[in-house]
Amino acid sequence: MAMEFQILDVDYVNLNDKPIVRFFGKTEKGESVCVFYEGFKPYFYAAGDNVREALEGEPEVMGIEQVERNIVGHHKPQKVFKITTRNPAKTPDLREKLRAAGMVVYEADILFKYRVMADMNLKGIGWVRTEGDEFANTETVQADKKFTVKKLVPIEKEGNADLKHLAFDLECTSSTGMLPEPRRDPVIMVSIVFSHKFEGKDSMVLSTRKGDGVTSFDSESEMLEEFVKIVRRYDPDIMTGYNCNNFDFPFILDRMYKLDVKPLLGRCLQKRTSHRKIGNISRVNLTGRIVLDSFAIIKKDFSLQRYSLNFVANALLKEQKVDVKHSEIEKFWKGSDEEFRKLAEYCRKDSRLAMDLVLKMKLADKYKALSRVSGALLQDTLDSGETTRIENYMLREFNRKGYVFPCRPDDATAVKRGLGRKEELGGGAVLEPIKGLHSSVVVLDFKSMYPTIIRSFNICPTTKVMPDQEEEAGVKKEDLIVTPSGARFLKTDKKKGIVPGLLENLMSERDAVKKAMKGVKGESKSRELYAKQWALKIMANAMYGYFGYARSKLFDLDIANSITSVGRETIHSTKDVVEKKYGYTIVYGDTDSVFAKLEGMEDMDEMGRISDKIAKYITSNLLGSMELEFEKIFKRFLPLTKKRYAAWKFERTKDGWKESMEMKGIETVRRDWCKLVGETLNVVIETILKKEDVKGAVKYFKAVIDDLLANKIDISKLIITKTMTKAPKYYKGIQPHIELVTKMRARSPADAPGVGDRIEYVIVKGKEMLSKRAEDPSYIKEKGLQIDASYYIDNQLMAPLERIFGAMGITKSELMGGGKQTGLLDILRQGRIEAAEPKILKEIKRDEMTGFLCSKCSKHYPRMPLMGSCGCGGRLNFASANGPAEAVVN
DNA sequence: TATTCGCGGGG
DNA sequence: GTGTACGCGAATA
């Protein structure tokens, strides 16, 4: 009998002194599976003269065999010892023992499940077929199908099994007003939402109080026991919740521990579900299932202003939470039946939103694809970074080519590498932007620059030849490629590097998937292919970083530097060719792109044709698979500094040119800015770029300021929000939103915001310090208070807008009305500005300047206040550590 | 201008 | 479990 399933999780147990590997999975029909595989012996490698002696009499060692393997850094196979052991868990001991004896160990830090998967060529989320199945009569695991198998064979099969999801959410009371703590605060309610009907229901609410639509319990421990039973009966593949990794799981597990409820939420009935917290990150171990925290994934994959459940649900699902403030939970819990019912619906809705985010936003798709490409298990793809995936992917290929893989470095080595990195590792080239507003700029970029450099120069730990290694490698100088940083690699025809080979596979497979996408019909199929090509791209792009990462098993600065040095040289030579051969100015460039100015050109198609021609010519002179291509047109391009610019972009599509704005390094939405800032910034940038109307932009900005001063701006645009994370008394510094809460409590304790609430405030006029002048927007309207216009001008609007206008050569004094405004058009025409020369009196260097100092009362201002003089009426000088000065020089 | 610090999200 | 450990904006030197 045989069976096919998709691998969800793998672990092992020791039975009779032998490891038995367990594969948890799901069949196409939706049955949960657990198969047992026996007979795989743990092993690793060691090199050195005293390996046998060092392991003499070790009961854990089953065999030591001398074998030949390739080792990174050598060009001929080396004699190493393959050490076979009894128990994977004992490997670290043996490893350290060998190291203490001066031996070098290999592959002695690979998790046993990954050792097995790599050798059997099995991948996370990959499909597998079993052979020699025998029914396993065991109650140690929970699954629809349980078998002991003789063999597991990977199979090529597209599509994904239908996974069962369970979302849950807790409500707790708090005895302190701070976040509830499991050591003293109880769970009062648990909501559960099912992706597939469970006993006829799609959701449940459990609680220790009775109410409509709620399953009630006499005690918290009975409720938690039932929660465990429901999970087991429903048997989900994926458990989710919003911030469940950091709150709901740790909380409920700690409560179970305290109340003596067995936390058996996984598919193994012998392994308790546990959580471990390191730093701020907590991870949950659910054997046979997967924990997917929708908050964690959304934070990684979506760029939003805020990540509260309500904000995210609004932005992504157009839904909102039931309206209950955190501070009201306890009130509703103890309140009327109606209030309790509302709390239950609030709780249910939170689970439903967490579930909808996962299912409707397809949060797991990308990660499934990454697992299938890299081989890492889905849980690891979700929780850990690129390292796990790259190492899984590389290990397999290195082993196939007869290499043993190095171990990861110890902390001391990693720290040393990290320190050395800064001076020794060069990054990409960033060309100095030519200041001013530019028109008719085309952007050309190198397709997958670092992967193609690695391929074209055959850069790999297996092809690197050190100065004294020519003889060992059996090569001559002409067999080597030298990179600009001076490292030497074997040419491809001598020996193809493993990493270049992997990249070639990743990139050609991606091309094939993209081709297949064109002919595909059906939304789910095309989504799957899209995720696959995305994963292939991510894996290819991650390869470079791995060589420069301090904890990498293949850390090699020669390699990292070789890759970036080729990149830098390529950018500079591309700039030369475009400028000298074609006569166009490069106005900017960063790592893998150059921005060329096609002076005076208007016609998009014409600009596209010229770009294509240039790109094609340059590509023809590049090595190997490196390729320059036309990417987009910036009809207007306004650089502020390196890595920061605004542009009016046109992209070529099959239906003509698609227009949009592109901002790099310029935020128009920040949570500590009021709406007015973003709005003003957007209008100003658009006016400059689209209408080329700098005067208009200045005029608009001045009008905003006039409106502010005249109290004509709607208060809603001036609201700043901040969360109160703890009770006011625990704040050490004085902060506006906390001062406001204190005031609001004095006015009306019942309506004042509580811990965890977001506080909205507006700064009003007054004599007190700024923090004391934060006010509640509705209170302002009610009492007709005046807003503090100069605060909004100096502390909110000025800095970001000054940067934009500064890039156009407009100084603050010109902006604020006093200065001359002639010359703006000249600036535009020239596309270049010079900094104004300051008059020299008593001077300090620019970087010495700390702000402004009143000559009368010595008050210090970090930034020039709006009125241009001190509040006391005194004149302002420049301030520095060496005292005041009248001028600043560069 | 670089580096360290603090806090998000959950109740 | 043959383990590993966030990330960005603000404040500060």
Side-chain angles (χ1 to χ4, degrees):
Chain A
M1 192 193 143
M3 190 167 55
E4 286 181 4
F5 67 91
Q6 209 172 7
I7 298 173
L8 297 182
D9 192 20
V10 180
D11 74 350
Y12 78 94
V13 284
N14 273 316
L15 193 68
N16 303 325
D17 210 18
K18 274 185 208 149
I20 297 176
V21 186
R22 306 190 294 193
F23 293 82
F24 296 90
K26 198 89 191 202
T27 65
E28 199 166 19
K29 279 189 249 163
E31 302 146 309
S32 59
V33 171
C34 179
V35 305
F36 301 87
Y37 178 80
E38 208 178 323
F40 193 103
K41 294 192 186 70
Y43 68 89
F44 64 96
Y45 299 92
D49 295 331
N50 305 315
V51 170
R52 287 186 194 278
E53 290 86 330
L55 295 176
E56 190 75 55
E58 265 297 340
E60 289 300 329
V61 174
M62 293 184 74
I64 302 177
E65 180 194 359
Q66 197 180 57
V67 294
E68 287 208 332
R69 290 288 188 278
N70 293 311
I71 293 178
V72 170
H74 294 273
H75 292 278
K76 288 211 168 92
Q78 306 289 308
K79 288 197 189 332
V80 296
F81 296 93
K82 181 177 179 180
I83 297 150
T84 309
T85 68
R86 228 174 275 285
N87 178 358
K90 294 293 175 7
T91 305
D93 294 343
L94 299 174
R95 178 180 74 207
E96 295 316 318
K97 197 165 182 173
L98 284 161
R99 279 181 175 157
M103 308 296 106
V104 182
V105 288
Y106 298 91
E107 303 186 10
D109 55 5
I110 295 164
L111 297 187
F112 188 56
K113 62 188 176 192
Y114 281 132
R115 169 84 281 161
V116 175
M117 287 168 74
D119 286 13
M120 292 165 63
N121 195 22
L122 302 175
K123 298 184 161 191
I125 301 297
W127 289 94
V128 60
R129 182 173 26 241
T130 59
E131 288 175 17
D133 299 10
E134 279 175 38
F135 178 69
N137 186 14
T138 173
E139 292 307 317
T140 58
V141 294
Q142 179 193 21
D144 298 330
K145 295 189 155 188
K146 296 181 261 193
F147 292 100
T148 299
V149 303
K150 288 275 179 299
K151 213 172 162 190
L152 288 129
V153 187
I155 49 173
E156 287 298 322
K157 184 179 167 110
E158 288 177 339
N160 289 312
D162 181 31
L163 301 184
K164 273 165 116 175
H165 293 59
L166 179 151
F168 76 108
D169 179 54
L170 309 181
E171 305 304 328
C172 321
T173 54
S174 166
S175 49
T176 57
M178 314 240 291
L179 256 185
E181 276 190 38
R183 34 177 53 244
R184 54 171 177 255
D185 299 316
V187 176
I188 56 170
M189 196 179 272
V190 184
S191 67
I192 309 171
V193 166
F194 308 99
S195 64
H196 296 57
K197 279 239 157 64
F198 168 68
E199 296 171 357
K201 295 186 268 283
D202 54 21
S203 74
M204 296 178 79
V205 175
L206 319 182
S207 178
T208 46
R209 175 178 161 175
K210 286 195 175 61
D212 278 357
V214 169
T215 312
S216 17
F217 299 86
D218 293 336
S219 69
E220 186 189 358
S221 61
E222 283 168 76
M223 177 173 72
L224 298 185
E225 250 156 40
E226 181 60 17
F227 176 72
V228 174
K229 283 185 192 152
I230 291 168
V231 171
R232 306 204 60 79
R233 284 209 303 274
Y234 178 64
D235 192 26
D237 303 295
I238 294 189
M239 286 185 74
T240 188
Y242 201 76
N243 202 24
C244 61
N245 274 343
N246 268 308
F247 184 77
D248 303 82
F249 266 117
F251 201 101
I252 202 168
L253 292 171
D254 285 353
R255 288 306 287 176
M256 287 180 184
Y257 184 77
K258 191 180 161 74
L259 299 172
D260 211 21
V261 175
K262 285 203 178 67
L264 296 174
L265 296 170
R267 283 183 164 133
C268 173
L269 297 166
Q270 296 166 313
K271 269 195 189 172
R272 287 164 166 254
T273 305
S274 62
H275 72 96
R276 291 179 71 186
K277 189 171 182 177
I278 281 135
N280 206 19
I281 301 299
S282 167
R283 282 241 247 146
V284 181
N285 202 321
L286 253 194
T287 307
R289 311 190 205 280
I290 291 146
V291 179
L292 191 164
D293 183 340
S294 38
F295 164 67
I297 303 304
I298 284 165
K299 205 162 50 143
K300 272 197 273 191
D301 292 352
F302 294 84
S303 177
L304 303 171
Q305 293 100 288
R306 296 202 281 115
Y307 293 92
S308 63
L309 179 55
N310 199 41
F311 190 93
V312 167
N314 248 304
L316 303 181
L317 302 172
K318 309 242 178 301
E319 289 209 49
Q320 32 273 325
K321 280 165 70 104
V322 174
D323 185 25
V324 176
K325 285 190 189 143
H326 290 136
S327 48
E328 291 173 329
I329 290 171
E330 191 151 357
K331 204 171 80 188
F332 284 17
W333 165 244
K334 292 175 178 154
S336 66
D337 285 352
E338 193 44 49
E339 284 175 321
F340 176 69
R341 201 217 309 264
K342 191 171 180 189
L343 182 63
E345 289 322 305
Y346 166 83
C347 186
R348 194 194 307 269
K349 186 78 185 269
D350 280 6
S351 285
R352 174 131 23 232
L353 291 173
M355 175 70 82
D356 284 354
L357 285 168
V358 175
L359 298 180
K360 295 194 177 150
M361 303 312 296
K362 314 285 174 200
L363 296 186
D365 285 12
K366 285 172 157 191
Y367 296 91
K368 285 182 184 171
L370 277 173
S371 280
R372 287 181 79 147
V373 172
S374 67
L377 291 166
L378 179 56
Q379 187 73 74
D380 291 331
T381 304
L382 288 165
D383 292 343
S384 34
E386 271 158 4
T387 324
T388 316
R389 301 195 282 261
I390 293 285
E391 282 173 1
N392 246 290
Y393 189 64
M394 288 220 214
L395 172 69
R396 295 156 193 253
E397 191 63 11
F398 272 70
N399 283 174
R400 252 177 244 134
K401 297 268 161 71
Y403 276 81
V404 290
F405 215 74
C407 291
R408 77 178 59 83
D410 57 25
D411 281 357
T413 313
V415 168
K416 222 182 294 164
R417 289 172 176 181
L419 293 176
R421 218 180 93 139
K422 193 172 46 183
E423 300 98 55
E424 292 165 38
L425 179 56
V430 187
L431 304 178
E432 191 61 49
I434 295 178
K435 285 178 193 164
L437 178 64
H438 303 282
S439 292
S440 311
V441 172
V442 294
V443 179
L444 309 175
D445 73 351
F446 289 92
K447 213 168 151 182
S448 300
M449 187 189 233
Y450 287 171
T452 55
I453 288 175
I454 294 171
R455 287 176 58 191
S456 306
F457 285 75
N458 202 31
I459 294 172
C460 186
T462 64
T463 54
K464 188 174 95 166
V465 178
M466 298 300 280
D468 57 350
Q469 285 185 322
E470 280 165 37
E471 197 180 320
E472 184 192 327
V475 294
K476 299 201 177 64
K477 288 246 177 320
E478 58 266 29
D479 298 323
L480 302 169
I481 311 179
V482 185
T483 61
S485 61
R488 307 181 311 160
F489 298 92
L490 292 167
K491 286 187 177 164
T492 309
D493 54 7
K494 270 282 154 194
K495 177 187 177 183
K496 184 160 181 165
I498 292 178
V499 175
L502 285 173
L503 284 171
E504 189 181 324
N505 295 345
L506 288 170
M507 292 168 83
S508 65
E509 199 179 346
R510 179 165 184 238
D511 289 343
V513 174
K514 283 176 93 169
K515 205 172 277 174
M517 276 169 73
K518 287 187 181 145
V520 86
K521 42 192 183 302
E523 205 212 329
S524 95
K525 186 74 212 160
S526 85
R527 258 207 323 268
E528 187 190 333
L529 290 177
Y530 177 83
K532 186 173 179 183
Q533 67 80 28
W534 176 86
L536 290 161
K537 180 178 81 179
I538 293 298
M539 289 296 292
N541 287 337
M543 227 55 109
Y544 151 73
Y546 189 66
F547 294 108
Y549 169 57
R551 293 195 183 279
S552 168
K553 294 179 177 183
L554 296 176
F555 180 83
D556 189 332
L557 274 186
D558 288 344
I559 289 183
N561 275 323
S562 286
I563 297 165
T564 56
S565 72
V566 174
R568 289 191 297 273
E569 195 184 73
T570 307
I571 286 294
H572 285 118
S573 61
T574 300
K575 175 177 152 79
D576 274 3
V577 172
V578 173
E579 294 193 331
K580 302 218 170 87
K581 182 175 163 73
Y582 292 96
Y584 298 120
T585 308
I586 298 295
V587 291
Y588 182 60
D590 183 358
T591 311
D592 61 354
S593 62
V594 289
F595 296 28
K597 187 166 173 173
L598 308 191
E599 193 78 60
M601 219 168 278
E602 295 276 328
D603 185 287
M604 298 276 166
D605 297 324
E606 175 74 7
M607 289 163 76
R609 273 195 296 278
I610 293 173
S611 304
D612 288 336
K613 194 180 75 187
I614 297 173
K616 201 174 161 195
Y617 173 78
I618 290 174
T619 299
S620 70
N621 286 300
L622 291 167
L623 198 60
S625 56
M626 292 179 70
E627 186 184 344
L628 184 68
E629 61 181 0
F630 164 67
E631 200 198 347
K632 59 199 168 192
I633 292 173
F634 285 163
K635 189 163 181 172
R636 305 270 187 275
F637 170 57
L638 177 67
L640 304 191
T641 57
K642 284 180 175 181
K643 308 248 181 209
R644 311 179 85 189
Y645 61 77
W648 187 12
K649 176 169 74 175
F650 286 78
E651 286 169 298
R652 197 157 52 186
T653 69
K654 41 184 187 311
D655 324 308
W657 294 92
K658 201 183 103 223
E659 159 217 28
S660 60
M661 298 292 287
E662 184 172 313
M663 312 264 215
K664 261 264 159 62
I666 304 173
E667 304 133 298
T668 57
V669 274
R670 263 172 55 168
R671 63 175 79 174
D672 52 342
W673 284 352
C674 64
K675 277 190 194 144
L676 183 68
V677 178
E679 277 180 27
T680 311
L681 207 47
N682 275 327
V683 174
V684 163
I685 290 172
E686 289 217 6
T687 308
I688 293 173
L689 293 184
K690 290 193 176 175
K691 298 190 190 145
E692 223 170 320
D693 182 7
V694 184
K695 270 189 175 168
V698 173
K699 219 168 135 189
Y700 177 82
F701 177 59
K702 287 188 168 179
V704 170
I705 288 178
D706 287 343
D707 284 352
L708 257 174
L709 291 166
N711 222 1
K712 282 200 272 187
I713 303 279
D714 194 281
I715 284 184
S716 66
K717 290 187 181 180
L718 301 175
I719 293 171
I720 303 163
T721 41
K722 257 192 151 185
T723 308
M724 176 163 65
T725 53
K726 49 197 172 186
K729 60 180 170 180
Y730 295 108
Y731 279 83
K732 354 179 221 221
I734 301 167
Q735 290 194 40
H737 65 300
I738 304 305
E739 294 301 306
L740 173 59
V741 171
T742 311
K743 273 190 271 186
M744 289 171 80
R745 285 192 179 169
R747 283 175 204 148
S748 168
D751 304 323
V755 175
D757 288 340
R758 291 195 72 80
I759 321 294
E760 300 192 327
Y761 66 90
V762 170
I763 302 292
V764 295
K765 271 201 182 122
K767 291 200 185 68
E768 298 157 290
M769 67 187 289
L770 185 119
S771 294
K772 304 268 185 198
R773 289 188 275 118
E775 252 318 332
D776 176 18
S778 50
Y779 186 81
I780 294 176
K781 279 183 198 153
E782 194 183 305
K783 302 273 171 185
L785 297 180
Q786 293 276 302
I787 61 113
D788 182 358
S790 61
Y791 168 81
Y792 283 94
I793 296 165
D794 288 337
N795 294 51
Q796 293 265 322
L797 287 170
M798 213 54 218
L801 280 141
E802 214 182 341
R803 274 200 287 274
I804 301 292
F805 284 118
M808 300 296 307
I810 298 165
T811 63
K812 183 168 174 183
S813 63
E814 283 172 315
L815 263 186
M816 296 316 296
K820 56 178 192 300
Q821 274 169 47
T822 53
L824 293 184
L825 289 170
D826 298 330
I827 289 158
L828 267 179
R829 269 186 220 107
Q830 288 163 14
R832 173 182 265 286
I833 58 127
E834 306 294 337
E837 286 292 328
K839 290 194 187 70
I840 296 164
L841 298 162
K842 184 184 168 191
E843 62 188 33
I844 53 168
K845 290 249 159 53
R846 172 145 307 197
D847 53 12
E848 292 172 332
M849 181 183 143
T850 60
F852 301 90
L853 200 68
C854 176
S855 56
K856 206 162 137 192
C857 72
S858 291
K859 186 169 172 178
H860 185 265
Y861 294 88
R863 216 180 272 130
M864 175 64 88
L866 180 65
M867 55 275 256
S869 57
C870 181
C872 77
R875 194 172 57 85
L876 292 173
N877 286 319
F878 296 105
S880 78
N882 304 322
E886 285 140 321
V888 172
V889 294
N890 279 315

